[in-house]
């Protein structure tokens, strides 16, 4: 609740890019100073991303990456930093950011890994990158954490945003997966691939899944 309450400041101040640091200054992690609460600090990093969503800013990206590196011991801070990074770098398909997030995902801690996978989806949204799809699918099969599997499934759906027929191979593969969470992800994948198209075939498939 503390995390979400602090993050909601980002929603209130969305787009106030120049003032983002001063707005959140009381909540952001202080250099070498006393910790307030990792929950409000993590929430503030996420809020930073919400303020900058759709406004890519190299300085904010660098700041959040630095926070991610400093937060190796605190999962909640990693969670906030990853979500923030995903929003700041949304749809940039930036390889470097992807590699950084992947490192966090591969630590296999449920809370940080979940956010890292969502962030990968945001950074790579609509890119349909085969490399990223392969790595996310493989990792979803490797990990034991349901949170991470669910986040990977949604990240895969984001990768296929507005790809329509191009997404079919992945959708089929996910629909036939033995893991129910990945099959759940396939439904999101259909939705995001055909968003706004009123595509009949997609609606038929989703209705079929819902009753079978």
């Amino acid at each position: 609740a503390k995390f979400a309450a602090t993050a909601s400041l980002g929603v209130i101040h969305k787009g106030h890019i120049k003032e983002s640091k001063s707005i959140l200054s009381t909540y952001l992690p202080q250099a070498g100073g006393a910790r307030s609460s990792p929950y409000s600090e993590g929430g503030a990093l996420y809020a930073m991303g919400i303020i900058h969503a759709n406004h890519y800013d190299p300085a904010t990206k660098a700041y959040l990456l630095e926070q991610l590196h400093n937060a190796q011991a605190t999962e909640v801070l990693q969670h906030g930093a990853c979500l923030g990074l995903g929003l700041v770098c949304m749809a940039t398909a930036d390889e470097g950011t992807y590699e950084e997030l992947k490192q966090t995902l591969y630590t296999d801690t449920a809370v940080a890994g979940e956010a890292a996978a969502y962030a990968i989806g945001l950074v790579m949204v609509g890119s349909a990158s085969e490399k990223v799809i392969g790595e996310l699918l493989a990792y979803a099969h490797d990990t034991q954490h349901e949170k991470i599997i669910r986040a990977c499934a949604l990240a895969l759906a984001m990768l296929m945003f507005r790809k329509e027929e191009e997404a079919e191979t992945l959708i089929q593969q996910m629909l036939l997966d033995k893991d129910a969470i990945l099959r759940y992800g396939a439904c999101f994948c259909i939705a995001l691939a055909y968003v706004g198209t009123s595509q009949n075939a997609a609606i038929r498939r989703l209705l079929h899944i819902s009753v079978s």
Side-chain angles (χ1 to χ4, degrees):
K2 204 174 225 181
F3 183 94
T6 315
S8 67
L9 286 171
V11 183
I12 297 166
H13 295 286
K14 187 171 168 10
H16 289 241
I17 304 158
K18 303 220 175 356
E19 302 90 67
S20 62
K21 274 235 172 83
S22 55
I23 291 166
L24 300 168
S25 59
T26 37
Y27 301 100
L28 287 167
Q30 302 304 317
R35 295 236 94 108
S36 51
S37 142
Y39 291 97
S40 56
E41 290 183 359
L45 294 173
Y46 179 24
M48 187 75 118
I50 296 172
I51 290 174
H52 286 270
N54 271 341
H55 298 282
Y56 173 70
D57 171 40
T60 307
K61 172 188 153 183
Y63 172 75
L64 287 167
L65 270 176
E66 181 196 356
Q67 292 300 330
L68 181 59
H69 293 157
N70 295 345
Q72 293 314 318
T74 320
E75 257 195 286
V76 182
L77 281 176
Q78 286 177 298
H79 186 90
C82 283
L83 291 175
L85 263 175
L87 289 166
V88 172
C89 304
M90 186 159 42
T92 55
D94 178 55
E95 276 294 316
T97 311
Y98 167 64
E99 291 300 329
E100 292 279 355
L101 291 165
K102 193 169 74 176
Q103 292 314 312
T104 307
L105 177 64
Y106 286 178
T107 56
D108 206 46
T109 49
V111 174
E114 173 189 33
Y118 284 133
I120 287 172
L122 287 167
V123 172
M124 293 287 173
V125 66
S127 69
S129 154
E130 284 184 16
K131 169 182 176 243
V132 180
I133 289 169
E135 291 179 339
L136 283 173
L137 268 176
Y139 198 66
H141 288 131
D142 282 348
T143 182
Q144 299 302 306
H145 295 293
E146 284 197 0
K147 274 185 169 168
I148 297 181
I149 301 172
R150 181 173 297 108
C152 285
L154 284 174
L156 286 163
M158 289 188 235
L159 280 157
M160 284 305 176
F161 181 59
R162 300 176 80 166
K163 284 293 174 220
E164 303 189 28
E165 281 73 25
E166 245 185 275
E168 282 308 319
T169 323
L170 178 63
I171 291 171
Q172 238 357 77
Q173 192 179 348
M174 288 172 79
L175 278 175
L176 299 171
D177 201 280
K178 58 184 192 304
D179 189 322
I181 302 175
L182 283 170
R183 297 200 297 275
Y184 150 104
C187 301
F188 282 99
C189 205
I190 293 170
L192 282 174
Y194 292 101
V195 63
T197 59
S198 351
Q199 161 73 262
N200 259 326
I203 296 168
R204 271 206 306 278
R205 270 164 110 175
L206 289 169
L207 286 172
H208 171 73
I209 295 165
S210 68
V211 296
S212 61

